[in-house]
């Protein structure tokens, strides 16, 4: 019986898919798992067209694929049995790697102590690879595979056989390498007779030994001396010290099999010493290719700190983004009431200025705290982006509760001072700086997810910067948000411009309760997207009980305490009975792909598959808690002119919903140099992705789509 290995419910899956490769952990155990015998494991990589990964010696650039196994006790994994690679020429560079489909097999010895009565064994793998076309992208995956112990696992036997057929065969003849200046004289015997008088390729297994981009007849000559193959090959300009021996793989230029093999391996002892390069430097060709990659990706190199010009632009973007945040419906009431409060202070300029500084400190420190938390979590490996706090349903519920309380306070239902002891209320009144500071903290708590407009590139750049520079950008965002209030507190002309105090101020305050209640409606809707209709209903019921409790606490006498106790008990019962609805994920029925739906759920594999088929793709990276996303969705992306342009170019429309944390979407945003939503990307076959503005206009989308070639 031939039973395929199944995925494990442990950490990871046996398949990892990215826009460039599909990687699968596979096994070949035709006799099951037998103590004292061996099985084969392997990483099967299927590349998208024009993409490649690398051999053990990647050549002039690149990195070899790395496999880190976590096996049952006593299991012993050998090294990768590397199939013979193909030379991949890119300009003046030559790399060694694989295109199409390749299997990297590994022999695993089973110990004699393996329990013969086991039903299965789980193997885990952490793999990393560099995949390149013109640009290069490091990728990794965690794999887990359960292998049946008693039944045959052989559905990939043909792939293992093909991989072994591509392995170099060890030569039995003699080999030698003699140093002559900057060249190496090779002399190799034992090759099959069918190869005589054919041209061979030399693939060194060791990096920084031979010059990879050698040209036949110029710096690389070869000939046959009877059954002995001889060649003169150039040494690498980045060569290190002379090793004792040089492992080589020889193959034909057309990969014609001879003696049931396509390549042959030998280890040639080296006679003489070559002069090592003073410093192993990156070749000019490689440096040019890396610069081209960076230019095409639209990003600065990762290692060095950001250029000062990029940093200043990011700081300016943070400042402008912070200013715009003051127009958000949840922030504007706080700002307006605080500024109008100056009208009641008369000429107390010093108090106004101190309040302005306290509010600014609350805003800036809150943004620094959020930014520092984000950077710290990302440093530990968490795949998070800006706005991560609203990806938690419990945080959304707490914010809805907070804004309900604020709205009821603004509406005049209660005053905070009535719920605290008179001594504390006196301290609050005598210390307005604390109130101003907390107002700044409050404004940031809800405004932070909406920083994407005019800020996407700055936030993406910030997360890739050193921590100190990144925190400067977060501070700039806070300064921009606090700037209107700070200027109003320090410029007397603003106070003189304000209307005189009067009954209108109480009316204005009560009117500002409604933007707060509107924010609560939005937050309940967000929670409904995350936890479904049951979660939204539970939150609404709890908010009603909270409002009733606040009203009860405004009563007098015995009624106040009876009603309050009953309402608290009712709230506790509701939380215990239905509280789990707040954190349960929403049913995924609505996210399933519908054949006739205009917008389909996003996946990196679907983007790669669609563009590989020659069709363009437009991706809307969105979230329910992002106000700008919803505005763009209901205006620009629903505009008939935009939809007609999409249809005319046969653009596939995908929506990446980041309402809840999704590592795959976070990784895709990071690759685009963004750390939050909204992000709008147009993928065209064979071209770099085009990232559009965060605040979309109809003309911008139509122009970008019309620039696409017409589909046949």
């Amino acid at each position: 019986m031939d039973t395929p290995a199944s995925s494990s419910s442990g950490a990871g899956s046996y398949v990892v898919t990215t826009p460039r490769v599909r990687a699968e952990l596979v096994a070949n155990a035709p006799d099951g798992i037998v103590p004292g015998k061996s099985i084969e494991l392997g990483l099967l990589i299927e590349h998208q067209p024009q993409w490649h990964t690398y051999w053990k010696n990647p050549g002039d650039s690149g990195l070899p694929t790395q496999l880190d196994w976590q096996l049952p006790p006593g299991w012993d994994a050998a090294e990768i049995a590397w199939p013979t690679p193909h030379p991949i020429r890119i300009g003046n560079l030559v790399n060694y790697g694989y295109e199409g489909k390749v299997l990297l097999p590994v022999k695993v010895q089973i110990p004699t102590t393996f329990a013969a009565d086991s039903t299965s064994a789980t193997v885990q793998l952490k793999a990393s690879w560099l995949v390149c076309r013109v640009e290069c992208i490091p990728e990794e995956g965690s794999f887990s595979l359960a292998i049946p112990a008693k039944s045959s696992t052989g559905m990939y036997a043909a792939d293992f056989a093909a991989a072994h057929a591509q392995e170099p065969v060890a030569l039995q003849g003699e080999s030698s390498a003699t140093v002559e200046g900057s060249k190496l004289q090779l002399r190799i015997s034992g090759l099959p007779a069918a190869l005589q008088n054919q041209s061979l390729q030399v693939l060194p297994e060791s990096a920084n030994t031979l010059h990879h981009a050698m040209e036949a007849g110029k710096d690389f000559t070869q000939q046959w001396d009877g059954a002995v193959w001889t060649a003169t090959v150039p040494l690498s300009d980045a060569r290190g010290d002379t090793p004792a021996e040089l492992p080589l793989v020889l193959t034909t230029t057309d990969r014609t099999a001879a003696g049931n093999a396509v390549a042959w391996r030998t280890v040639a002892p080296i006679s003489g010493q070559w002069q090592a390069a003073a410093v192993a430097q990156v070749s000019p060709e490689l440096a040019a290719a890396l610069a081209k990659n960076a230019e095409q990706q639209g990003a600065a190199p990762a290692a060095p700190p950001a250029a000062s010009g990029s940093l200043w632009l990011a700081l300016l973007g943070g400042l402008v983004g912070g200013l715009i945040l003051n127009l958000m419906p949840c922030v504007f009431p706080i700002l307006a009431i605080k500024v109008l409060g100056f009208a009641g202070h008369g000429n107390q300029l010093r108090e106004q200025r101190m309040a302005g500084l306290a509010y600014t400190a609350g805003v800036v420190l809150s943004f620094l705290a959020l930014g520092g938390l984000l950077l710290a979590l990302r440093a530990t490996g968490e795949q998070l982006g800006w706005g991560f706090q609203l990806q938690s349903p419990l945080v959304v519920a707490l914010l809805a509760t907070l804004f309900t309380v604020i709205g009821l306070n603004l509406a005049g239902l209660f005053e905070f001072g009535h719920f605290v002891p008179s001594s504390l209320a006196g301290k609050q009144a005598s210390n307005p700086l604390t109130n101003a500071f907390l107002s700044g903290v409050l404004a940031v708590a809800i405004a932070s997810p909406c920083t994407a407009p005019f800020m996407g590139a700055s936030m993406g750049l910030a997360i890739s910067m050193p921590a100190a520079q990144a925190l400067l950008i977060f501070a700039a965002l806070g300064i921009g948000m606090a700037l209107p209030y700070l200027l109003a507190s320090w410029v007397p002309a603003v106070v003189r411009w304000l209307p005189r105090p009067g009954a209108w101020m109480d009316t204005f305050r009560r009117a500002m309760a409604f933007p707060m209640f509107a924010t609560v409606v939005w937050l309940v809707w967000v929670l409904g997207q995350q936890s479904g209709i049951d979660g939204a209903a539970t939150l609404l019921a709890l908010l009603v009980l909270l409002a009733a409790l606040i009203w009860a606490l405004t009563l007098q006498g015995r009624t106040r305490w009876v009603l309050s106790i009953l309402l608290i008990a009712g709230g506790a019962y509701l939380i215990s009975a239905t509280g789990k609805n707040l954190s349960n994920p929403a049913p995924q029925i609505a996210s399933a792909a519908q054949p006739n739906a205009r917008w389909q759920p996003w996946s990196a594999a679907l983007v790669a598959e669609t563009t590989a088929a020659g069709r363009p793709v437009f991706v809307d990276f969105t979230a329910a808690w992002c106000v700008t996303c919803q505005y763009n969705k209901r205006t620009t992306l629903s505009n008939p002119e935009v939809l007609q342009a999409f249809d005319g170019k046969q653009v596939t429309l995908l929506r990446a919903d980041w309402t809840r944390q999704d590592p795959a979407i976070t990784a895709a945003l990071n690759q685009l140099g963004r750390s939050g939503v909204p992000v709008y990307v147009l993928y065209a076959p064979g071209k770099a992705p085009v990232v559009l503005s965060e605040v979309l206009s109809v003309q911008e989308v139509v122009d970008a789509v019309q620039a696409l070639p017409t589909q046949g």
Side-chain angles (χ1 to χ4, degrees):
M1 179 178 178
D2 190 3
T3 304
S6 61
S7 64
S8 168
S9 60
S13 168
Y14 59 83
V15 176
V16 171
T17 303
T18 77
R20 292 152 290 275
V21 304
R22 179 186 185 275
E24 181 177 0
L25 174 58
V26 296
N28 186 35
D31 300 323
I33 304 176
V34 181
K37 294 191 175 181
S38 62
I39 64 171
E40 286 187 296
L41 301 176
L43 185 64
L44 181 63
I45 303 177
E46 297 181 55
H47 305 80
Q48 290 295 330
Q50 302 180 10
W51 292 90
H52 60 269
T53 53
Y54 293 94
W55 187 45
K56 62 195 306 183
N57 174 17
D60 284 318
S61 63
L63 292 170
T65 298
Q66 301 284 339
L67 304 182
D68 182 15
W69 298 97
Q70 292 84 48
L71 302 174
W75 289 33
D76 184 27
E79 297 296 325
I80 298 173
W82 294 92
T84 304
H86 290 272
I88 301 171
R89 184 174 289 273
I90 303 177
N92 295 325
L93 304 178
V94 169
N95 297 330
Y96 304 127
Y98 309 100
E99 299 172 316
K101 182 167 73 171
V102 65
L103 173 62
L104 304 181
V106 172
K107 182 179 180 181
V108 177
Q109 183 65 38
I110 309 299
T112 57
T113 55
F114 179 74
D117 58 347
S118 298
T119 58
S120 66
T122 298
V123 297
Q124 294 182 345
L125 169 66
K126 180 69 177 294
S128 61
W129 57 88
L130 182 69
V131 58
C132 299
R133 185 171 55 184
V134 175
E135 65 273 30
C136 290
I137 299 172
E139 297 181 339
E140 63 180 18
S142 295
F143 304 82
S144 182
L145 185 68
I147 307 172
K150 299 299 184 182
S151 51
S152 174
T153 300
M155 64 182 299
Y156 291 97
D159 293 290
F160 279 95
H164 291 312
Q166 292 293 320
E167 289 179 39
V169 175
L171 286 177
Q172 301 302 316
E174 295 182 354
S175 302
S176 64
T178 304
V179 177
E180 293 186 1
S182 61
K183 297 182 183 295
L184 203 62
Q185 299 293 330
L186 300 178
R187 187 174 180 85
I188 299 174
S189 63
L191 290 163
L195 291 179
Q196 292 185 22
N197 299 321
Q198 289 193 38
S199 296
L200 302 182
Q201 290 180 323
V202 182
L203 312 179
E205 289 188 357
S206 304
N208 298 329
T209 51
L210 301 186
H211 181 57
H212 304 298
M214 58 183 76
E215 296 184 22
K218 184 179 178 182
D219 50 7
F220 169 45
T221 59
Q222 57 178 304
Q223 62 183 11
W224 286 87
D225 183 6
V228 178
W229 180 80
T230 63
T232 301
V233 295
L235 294 170
S236 171
D237 293 335
R239 59 188 178 272
D241 294 334
T242 308
E245 54 189 20
L246 182 65
L248 300 169
V249 172
L250 303 178
T251 184
T252 58
T253 54
D254 58 0
R255 292 298 173 89
T256 302
N260 297 322
V262 297
W264 298 264
R265 183 181 186 273
T266 187
V267 178
I270 298 178
S271 300
Q273 296 286 319
W274 63 54
Q275 184 177 359
V279 179
Q281 298 179 342
V282 174
S283 68
E285 296 86 356
L286 177 56
L290 293 174
K292 185 176 181 181
N293 290 350
E295 180 182 351
Q296 292 190 0
Q297 289 295 316
S308 58
S310 300
L311 177 60
W312 283 112
L313 286 175
L315 291 173
L316 179 61
L319 193 67
V320 173
L323 283 168
I324 295 174
L325 284 179
N326 290 289
L327 302 179
M328 301 304 297
C330 47
V331 179
F332 179 75
I334 296 176
L335 175 66
I337 291 173
K338 297 296 292 183
V339 172
L340 288 176
F342 292 153
H345 290 168
N347 295 322
Q348 300 177 2
L349 184 59
R350 182 178 181 277
E351 287 77 3
Q352 294 172 13
R353 290 179 172 177
M354 294 301 294
L357 291 175
Y359 178 84
T360 302
V363 171
V364 174
L365 290 177
S366 297
F367 270 115
L368 288 175
L370 276 173
L373 177 61
L374 173 60
L375 294 173
L377 291 174
R378 288 177 66 91
T380 63
E382 292 287 339
Q383 291 292 312
L384 299 174
W386 189 246
F388 68 98
Q389 59 274 32
L390 283 193
Q391 291 177 328
S392 167
L394 293 180
V395 172
V396 173
L398 289 175
L399 288 173
T401 301
L402 174 64
F403 276 86
T404 299
V405 173
I406 294 174
L408 294 174
N409 171 255
L410 293 176
L413 180 64
F414 76 100
E415 296 295 335
F416 285 107
H418 295 165
F419 292 156
V420 297
S422 57
S423 59
L424 291 178
K427 290 182 180 180
Q428 181 187 29
S430 64
N431 193 7
L433 297 184
T434 301
N435 294 337
F437 179 87
L438 293 177
S439 296
V441 174
L442 180 65
V444 172
I446 191 62
S448 57
C450 301
T451 54
F454 312 105
M455 275 297 296
S458 296
M459 284 299 178
L461 182 60
I463 289 178
S464 66
M465 285 180 171
Q469 295 183 7
L471 290 176
L472 278 178
I473 296 177
F474 291 117
L477 181 61
I479 292 173
M481 183 175 174
L483 194 57
Y485 183 78
L486 185 63
L487 288 176
S489 66
W490 280 77
V491 179
V494 174
V495 178
R496 290 193 295 269
W497 174 81
L498 295 174
R500 293 182 177 277
W504 68 269
M505 294 184 68
D506 185 62
T507 302
F508 179 81
R509 173 188 167 181
R510 294 176 188 273
M512 288 297 99
F514 293 100
M516 291 298 176
F517 292 140
T519 302
V520 174
V521 172
W522 167 58
L523 289 168
V524 172
W525 178 79
V526 169
L527 187 87
Q529 300 297 308
Q530 295 173 330
S531 302
I533 190 65
D534 290 340
T538 298
L539 177 58
L540 284 172
L542 289 172
L543 293 179
V544 170
L545 284 175
L546 175 65
L549 176 61
I550 292 175
W551 167 76
L553 290 173
T554 64
L555 301 177
Q556 301 295 324
R558 191 174 185 181
T559 305
R560 172 183 185 178
W561 299 112
V562 171
L563 284 178
S564 297
I565 293 173
L566 289 175
L567 289 168
I568 291 174
Y573 172 77
L574 184 61
I575 291 175
S576 64
T578 65
K580 61 180 182 297
N581 292 336
L582 295 176
S583 57
N584 285 342
Q588 296 300 311
I589 298 175
S591 64
Q594 301 296 325
N596 298 322
R598 181 181 290 275
W599 290 89
Q600 299 291 328
W602 170 91
S603 74
L606 184 55
V607 173
E609 176 184 337
T610 306
T611 55
R615 298 193 303 274
V617 176
F618 181 86
V619 180
D620 171 17
F621 289 92
T622 184
W625 40 260
C626 171
V627 175
T628 310
C629 302
Q630 305 310 317
Y631 175 80
N632 287 335
K633 184 186 301 182
R634 286 161 175 75
T635 55
T636 302
L637 294 181
S638 299
N639 185 278
E641 187 178 354
V642 170
L643 297 177
Q644 183 178 2
F646 283 142
D647 292 340
K649 296 292 185 176
Q650 300 179 30
V651 179
T652 299
L653 304 179
L654 304 181
R655 185 155 278 151
D657 190 347
W658 207 40
T659 301
R660 275 183 175 264
Q661 183 180 344
D662 187 322
I665 295 178
T666 305
L669 290 171
N670 290 341
Q671 292 173 6
L672 295 166
R674 297 293 188 269
S675 66
V677 290
V679 175
Y680 305 99
V681 190
L682 187 60
Y683 296 88
K687 296 184 178 180
V690 176
V691 181
L692 305 182
S693 302
E694 285 88 350
V695 180
L696 284 177
S697 69
V698 171
Q699 194 61 46
E700 179 186 12
V701 180
V702 171
D703 289 345
V705 173
Q706 289 181 346
L708 295 170
T710 302
Q711 300 298 302

